[in-house]
Amino acid sequence: MQRSSRKAEPMKIQVLFLFLLSLLWGAISQQIQYAIPEELARGLRVGNLAKDLKLSVQELSARKLRVSSENFFSVSAESGDLLVNGRIDREEICGRKSECALEFEMVAENPMNVFHVIVAIQDINDNAPRFTAKGIDLEICESALPGVKFPLDSAQDADVESNSLKIYTISSNEHFSVTTKESPDGSKYPELLLEKPLDREQQSSHQLILTAMDGGDPPLSSTTQIRIQVTDANDNAPVFSQETYRVSLQENVPLGTSVLQVMATDQDEGVNAEITYAFLSAPTSTSLLFNLNPNTGDITTNGTLDFEKTSRYMLVVEARDGGVHTAHCNVQIEIVDENDNAPEITLMSYSNQIPEDSDLGTVIALFKVRDQDSGQNGLVTCYIQEDIPFKLESTSKNYYKLVIDSALDREQMAEYNVTITATDKGKPSLFSSTSVTLHISDINDNAPVFHQASYVVHVAENNPPGASIAQVSASDPDLGPNGRVSYSIVNSDLEPRALASYVSVSAQSGVVFAQRAFDHEQLRAFELTLQARDQGSPALSANVSLRVLVGDRNDNAPRVLYPALGPDGSALFDTVPRAAQPGYLVTKVVAVDADSGHNAWLSYHVLQASEPGLFSLGLRTGEVRTARALGDRDAARQRLLVAVRDGGQPPLSATATLLLVFADSLQEVLPDVSDRPAPSDPQAELQFYLVVVLASVSVLFLLAVILALALRLRRSSHRAAWTCFRRNLSSKSGPGVLPSYSEGTLPYSYNLCVASRLAKTEFTFSNLKPEMAPPRDLLCDNPSMDVCVSNEDPQIVYDSSFASHVSFCKPAFILSRA
C-alpha cells in the first residue's frame, strides 16, 4: 500500500514538540499522513506506524499506544503496522467533498505523547450514476423550433473527481441530441436539444434512452427513459428574471422563514401564461428543508438549517406555463454560521496521584478542545481558575497540557478540583467546562513537632514504681508511616546504666513511666532528652528536654547529732558552773532533718525535766539556758528529755536526753560520781548510777571522736596541732556531726575538740562568705571567749579556765566541712 499526501504516498509532518518534564520526556505532538483507497479489506496494512513514529516494536506495549479511532484503524502489536479495522466508505464519511481524510490521535504514555494521524481516503469508482426518477416525461409543442433546449433530470453519482458523473448520451434518433451541462456547484445535468422540427401528426410521441456515465476505469453508467409527448403549439416559454438567484441565510432560523422569491414571466395569454413553480431534481434532504409555493415562487424554510452539516444549498426551480413550455433557474443559498456550538473538551490522559515533591513543569493532564463552528465562532481559548499551583500550556491543533506551576504541599492542600473552561470568540461567546480531581500524594517532608518547647514535671518522692509521671506529645502532619511517631529517650544527665532503672517511655503514646520510687534526698532533679521519630524513609526526628523535679515528702524524722550517746548507748553529761546566772548557755541540742523545706523546719520541746523551771529551751535554736540561779535545794544533777519535731504533716520527731551536772570543774564531778557512797534515797542512788554510766559513755564516745579526728587531720590541709581528749579530759563534749552528712537542716559538720585545764582548746573554722554565715542562734557570743583570727589560719583559742564548757562563737566563721 502506498503512502502519500494525495497520490498514494505516505507523508509524515512533525508539527510541534511539547516538553513533558515528568518522567524526563516531553508530550510531543507529531502529525503523520497516509493515503489509502476506500473500501479496503479489514486487516490490510496502511503503513508502518512504529517506524514513522521512530518507535521500536517493543516500545508499543510499554508505551500503551492507543488509537482514538478504533472503529476504522488498529495497531499491530507484533509489527507496529497501522491496520484497517472496519469498513471505510468515503461517501459515507465525507459525502461529496472533494477531499476526504480521517483525522485521529495516537496517544502514548510513559512518557505521555500525542501523535496526530491523517489518513486521506482516496475515492474508487464504486458507485454508478443513478437517476432518481424511473423516467422523464416531456411535452414538446410541435411548433418548437430546432435549437430549443430542454433541461432534464440529472443523475446522482456519490463518487467524486474523476470517478464522478462525466457525460450524458442519448439513444440514436433524428430529432434530438443531448449535451452535458455543468451547474454552478459543479454537478452535471443533461440538456435535450431539438435538432429537427417535430410533427405531431407524423409522430405524436418519442421514446429515448438517456445514459449517464462516470469517468471511472472502467466507467460505470445507468439509464432512464425519456418519454416525449408532442403537443400542439405554444409559442412562448416562461422566462426567469434571473438565471441564478443567490441569497445568504443565517443558520437556525425559525421554521417558515422566507428565503427568497423566484419569478418567471410568459408572453402568452390565458392558460399558456399561467406559470407554476416546482423544484427540479432536488435531493430528498434538500426538499425537506425548503418549501416552494407553486403559485407565487416563494421559497421558505421547512426545517432546521445547520451550517456544520451543510454550508451551501443549490436548488433548481422549474417554471411551467399552462402549455408545455418550461424554464429553469438556479437558487444558491449560502448558510451563514452562528455561534451555536459550545466548545467540546476531551480529556486524553491525566495523572490522578501527584507526589507533592513533583518538579515544576510536570505534565499532569493532556486534553484537546474542539468547536464545530467556523471562523471566530470556532476559535477557542482555555483557562483554569486562579490561586491553584497549576497552569495551562497550549500545544498544537487545540491541544493543551496541564502542568505544575508552583510547589505543592499536601499538608496545606491534599486535593485540587481543577475546572478547565473552554470559551470561543463568538458573540455572544459560548463556553463549556470539565473538572478533574487531582490528589496530592504524601512524602516524608515534615519532621515531628513537639507541642511544647520543653517539659517540666514535678514528681513527689516515694512514688509507686511503674506510675506515669508525664506525657510528651508530638505531631507530624504527614500521612501513614510518614506521620506515625514513636518516642524514645536519647540522652540524660543520669548515668547511662542507671537510666533504665529510673524511667522509661512508651514508644507509642509518649507516656513517661517511673521505674522505681524516687528519693528526694538522693536525687532532687534530673533531665531527659526525648526524641520523636517518624517512620518515613528516611525518617525525620525532633528532640525535646524533659526536666523531672523530685518533690520532698516528710519521710525522714529529725536526727539528733548532739548530745550523742556513748558507745554503750548511755547519755553523756554536761557540766554547769554552780554560779551560772539566768540566761547562761548550758548546751545546745543539735539536730538535722534530711528533708527540705517545711519538712526540715525543726522545733525543740521539753518533754520531761528533773527540776521544772530551772532551764529554758530555745524553740528554734535548741539552746539550753539557765532560767534561774541554782538553789540550795536543787539537786546537782539534772535530767532533761527534749523532743525535736519537724514541720511536716504529719510531723515526725526524735528525742534526746540531756544530763546536766552543776560543778565548777570536771575533776570535782568525777570523784563525786565514782566514789560517793550510795545514798539511802533510791532516787539519789539512781541519779548516781546514771552519772557513772554517762561518764563511761562519754569516755567511749570521746575515744571514738579522737580516732575520727585523727583520721580526719591526716587528710586536712591545716597544720595546726590537735591535742584532744587526753587523760584527765573534761566530760563535757561538744556537738559532733557525722563526717558524711552533707544535706538536711545543717549544711555542714563540725570538728570539735575539748582540752583539759592545762591545755587550750582549739576550734578550726573555715572562712564563710557573708551569705553563707550560719544563723545567730546556732552560735553564741561568750564574753569569756578569746578569739584569735588570722587570714592564714583562722582559729578560735579558748583559755583553759573555760575549757570545761563548749560554746559556738563568731558568725564570721563556720566549722570546717566534713
Side-chain angles (χ1 to χ4, degrees):
M1 184 145 327
Q2 296 179 342
R3 296 166 23 208
S4 67
S5 59
R6 298 195 53 179
K7 297 181 180 181
E9 292 184 4
M11 295 179 62
K12 179 173 63 177
I13 304 174
Q14 184 169 352
V15 178
L16 187 63
F17 291 95
L18 305 177
F19 295 101
L20 181 62
L21 296 181
S22 64
L23 305 177
L24 304 179
W25 277 77
I28 303 175
S29 175
Q30 295 184 350
Q31 185 167 293
I32 310 298
Q33 289 190 353
Y34 299 102
I36 61 171
E38 64 177 332
E39 302 294 349
L40 279 181
R42 182 172 179 173
L44 289 182
R45 176 177 177 270
V46 177
N48 193 315
L49 187 62
K51 178 180 178 182
D52 295 334
L53 295 179
K54 297 181 181 179
L55 298 175
S56 64
V57 176
Q58 292 76 13
E59 288 182 279
L60 294 181
S61 58
R63 295 288 299 278
K64 298 181 181 179
L65 193 68
R66 62 180 187 272
V67 183
S68 63
S69 181
E70 297 179 352
N71 294 336
F72 297 106
F73 302 100
S74 63
V75 178
S76 172
E78 290 77 18
S79 62
D81 291 334
L82 183 65
L83 305 178
V84 176
N85 197 38
R87 181 172 180 264
I88 300 176
D89 186 353
R90 184 189 183 282
E91 288 73 29
E92 181 180 347
I93 297 172
C94 299
R96 294 190 54 79
K97 291 182 180 179
S98 59
E99 295 182 359
C100 181
L102 285 175
E103 296 187 23
F104 57 95
E105 292 78 33
M106 306 292 296
V107 178
E109 298 186 9
N110 301 322
M112 187 182 299
N113 295 65
V114 60
F115 308 93
H116 300 283
V117 180
I118 300 176
V119 179
I121 309 302
Q122 298 174 342
D123 184 55
I124 63 172
N125 193 23
D126 58 340
N127 293 281
R130 182 173 58 85
F131 291 95
T132 57
K134 294 182 179 180
I136 300 174
D137 295 321
L138 292 176
E139 289 183 359
I140 301 176
C141 183
E142 64 179 347
S143 62
L145 299 177
V148 176
K149 299 178 180 178
F150 302 92
L152 302 178
D153 292 344
S154 62
Q156 304 295 323
D157 193 340
D159 296 324
V160 296
E161 300 293 335
S162 61
N163 294 324
S164 64
L165 190 149
K166 294 298 181 183
I167 192 170
Y168 292 91
T169 61
I170 196 173
S171 57
S172 179
N173 68 92
E174 61 178 343
H175 292 283
F176 298 94
S177 66
V178 68
T179 58
T180 302
K181 296 290 185 176
E182 185 172 350
S183 63
D185 64 345
S187 62
K188 294 180 173 58
Y189 63 91
E191 193 173 70
L192 189 66
L193 178 65
L194 180 62
E195 298 283 352
K196 184 180 179 180
L198 300 174
D199 187 356
R200 193 187 66 82
E201 287 71 26
Q202 291 184 2
Q203 186 176 354
S204 63
S205 65
H206 299 269
Q207 301 288 334
L208 305 175
I209 301 299
L210 179 63
T211 302
M213 185 176 297
D214 62 23
D217 184 18
L220 301 178
S221 63
S222 65
T223 61
T224 189
Q225 188 177 38
I226 302 176
R227 296 179 291 271
I228 300 174
Q229 187 70 32
V230 181
T231 64
D232 287 336
N234 184 3
D235 297 333
N236 295 287
V239 177
F240 279 98
S241 61
Q242 294 177 220
E243 184 177 351
T244 302
Y245 292 85
R246 293 179 173 85
V247 66
S248 296
L249 188 65
Q250 294 288 126
E251 66 172 330
N252 298 324
V253 294
L255 188 69
T257 300
S258 175
V259 179
L260 57 84
Q261 182 181 21
V262 295
M263 182 174 291
T265 58
D266 194 322
Q267 296 180 0
D268 292 327
E269 293 182 353
V271 176
N272 293 330
E274 293 179 358
I275 299 174
T276 58
Y277 301 93
F279 287 127
L280 183 65
S281 65
T284 303
S285 59
T286 302
S287 62
L288 294 176
L289 292 176
F290 300 97
N291 184 41
L292 176 61
N293 189 311
N295 298 318
T296 63
D298 285 331
I299 301 176
T300 57
T301 58
N302 194 38
T304 302
L305 303 179
D306 191 350
F307 173 85
E308 286 70 41
K309 292 183 178 179
T310 305
S311 61
R312 175 185 296 177
Y313 293 93
M314 294 297 299
L315 305 176
V316 179
V317 180
E318 179 184 75
R320 181 182 293 271
D321 60 16
V324 296
H325 294 293
T326 60
H328 301 84
C329 72
N330 296 314
V331 178
Q332 179 176 319
I333 303 173
E334 297 285 345
I335 306 301
V336 179
D337 181 48
E338 287 188 352
N339 192 24
D340 59 342
N341 291 280
E344 300 173 1
I345 302 175
T346 303
L347 191 64
M348 304 301 296
S349 181
Y350 85 103
S351 300
N352 185 28
Q353 296 290 336
I354 307 170
E356 61 178 322
D357 61 345
S358 298
D359 295 332
L360 301 184
T362 299
V363 176
I364 304 304
L366 184 67
F367 61 93
K368 70 175 180 179
V369 295
R370 177 175 175 265
D371 195 317
Q372 296 181 7
D373 295 322
S374 61
Q376 290 292 108
N377 297 332
L379 295 179
V380 180
T381 56
C382 286
Y383 60 91
I384 58 177
Q385 69 266 37
E386 298 179 352
D387 301 327
I388 59 174
F390 305 99
K391 68 177 180 179
L392 288 179
E393 292 184 357
S394 175
T395 63
S396 64
K397 292 182 71 69
N398 290 331
Y399 271 80
Y400 290 84
K401 59 182 180 180
L402 181 66
V403 301
I404 298 176
D405 188 43
S406 60
L408 303 177
D409 189 351
R410 189 207 63 81
E411 287 69 40
Q412 294 184 2
M413 183 67 71
E415 181 180 289
Y416 291 92
N417 190 22
V418 181
T419 300
I420 303 166
T421 304
T423 305
D424 61 28
K425 294 186 178 181
K427 292 183 179 180
S429 62
L430 300 178
F431 71 92
S432 62
S433 61
T434 186
S435 297
V436 293
T437 301
L438 305 178
H439 300 278
I440 310 302
S441 59
D442 184 57
I443 64 168
N444 192 25
D445 58 343
N446 290 279
V449 177
F450 281 96
H451 296 165
Q452 295 180 210
S454 62
Y455 293 83
V456 176
V457 60
H458 295 266
V459 181
E461 65 175 334
N462 302 324
N463 55 287
S468 168
I469 62 173
Q471 182 175 17
V472 297
S473 179
S475 59
D476 193 321
D478 293 324
L479 284 181
N482 296 334
R484 194 174 300 130
V485 178
S486 61
Y487 303 90
S488 62
I489 301 175
V490 296
N491 196 11
S492 173
D493 55 4
L494 298 173
E495 289 292 333
R497 290 179 295 180
L499 176 62
S501 66
Y502 274 89
V503 290
S504 65
V505 63
S506 171
Q508 289 73 31
S509 64
V511 175
V512 180
F513 297 96
Q515 298 297 101
R516 62 188 295 179
F518 298 149
D519 189 351
H520 174 81
E521 288 71 41
Q522 292 183 3
L523 182 65
R524 297 193 176 187
F526 60 93
E527 188 166 322
L528 305 175
T529 300
L530 299 173
Q531 182 178 86
R533 186 181 184 88
D534 61 30
Q535 298 181 16
S537 179
L540 301 178
S541 62
N543 294 345
V544 72
S545 64
L546 170 64
R547 183 167 181 80
V548 180
L549 302 178
V550 181
D552 183 54
R553 290 181 185 271
N554 192 25
D555 58 345
N556 290 280
R559 181 179 177 186
V560 177
L561 302 180
Y562 183 84
L565 299 178
D568 57 353
S570 60
L572 303 181
F573 64 92
D574 290 287
T575 60
V576 183
R578 292 180 182 276
Q581 297 300 315
Y584 176 80
L585 178 61
V586 177
T587 186
K588 183 171 184 175
V589 178
V590 180
V592 293
D593 195 315
D595 295 322
S596 61
H598 286 80
N599 297 328
W601 289 6
L602 302 181
S603 61
Y604 301 85
H605 309 272
V606 176
L607 294 181
Q608 185 180 358
S610 300
E611 190 68 40
L614 181 58
F615 299 99
S616 65
L617 178 63
L619 178 65
R620 294 298 178 186
T621 63
E623 293 178 348
V624 179
R625 296 179 181 270
T626 56
R628 61 180 174 79
L630 179 68
D632 295 336
R633 295 184 179 182
D634 294 328
R637 287 178 290 279
Q638 297 289 330
R639 177 177 177 273
L640 290 177
L641 181 61
V642 177
V644 184
R645 296 192 185 97
D646 60 24
Q649 291 296 330
L652 301 178
S653 63
T655 60
T657 301
L658 298 177
L659 299 178
L660 306 177
V661 178
F662 283 89
D664 291 331
S665 66
L666 183 61
Q667 287 76 6
E668 180 184 345
V669 175
L670 290 178
D672 183 57
V673 174
S674 58
D675 298 336
R676 181 179 297 178
S680 59
D681 187 2
Q683 181 67 28
E685 183 180 1
L686 177 60
Q687 291 180 357
F688 170 75
Y689 285 116
L690 288 176
V691 172
V692 173
V693 171
L694 287 174
S696 302
V697 171
S698 298
V699 172
L700 294 175
F701 173 75
L702 291 175
L703 290 175
V705 172
I706 291 171
L707 180 60
L709 289 176
L711 295 175
R712 184 66 179 174
L713 288 174
R714 186 172 297 179
R715 302 174 188 173
S716 174
S717 61
H718 299 290
R719 299 181 179 177
W722 292 77
T723 57
C724 302
F725 300 102
R726 299 191 179 183
R727 297 185 66 180
N728 301 324
L729 55 82
S730 171
S731 64
K732 182 165 183 175
S733 60
V737 182
L738 296 179
S740 61
Y741 193 86
S742 61
E743 296 183 9
T745 307
L746 292 179
Y748 304 100
S749 60
Y750 304 91
N751 291 332
L752 177 61
C753 294
V754 180
S756 66
R757 286 184 179 272
L758 300 178
K760 290 186 177 181
T761 303
E762 295 181 355
F763 294 87
T764 302
F765 296 87
S766 299
N767 281 328
L768 276 182
K769 296 179 181 178
E771 62 270 14
M772 297 174 59
R776 243 347 237 192
D777 60 2
L778 185 63
L779 304 175
C780 65
D781 288 330
N782 193 332
S784 63
M785 181 183 296
D786 295 329
V787 181
C788 300
V789 180
S790 67
N791 292 333
E792 294 81 6
D793 190 8
Q795 295 179 346
I796 298 176
V797 181
Y798 289 87
D799 189 84
S800 60
S801 63
F802 299 100
S804 61
H805 111 162
V806 179
S807 61
F808 302 79
C809 62
K810 296 303 177 187
F813 302 91
I814 191 168
L815 301 176
S816 62
R817 300 187 62 175

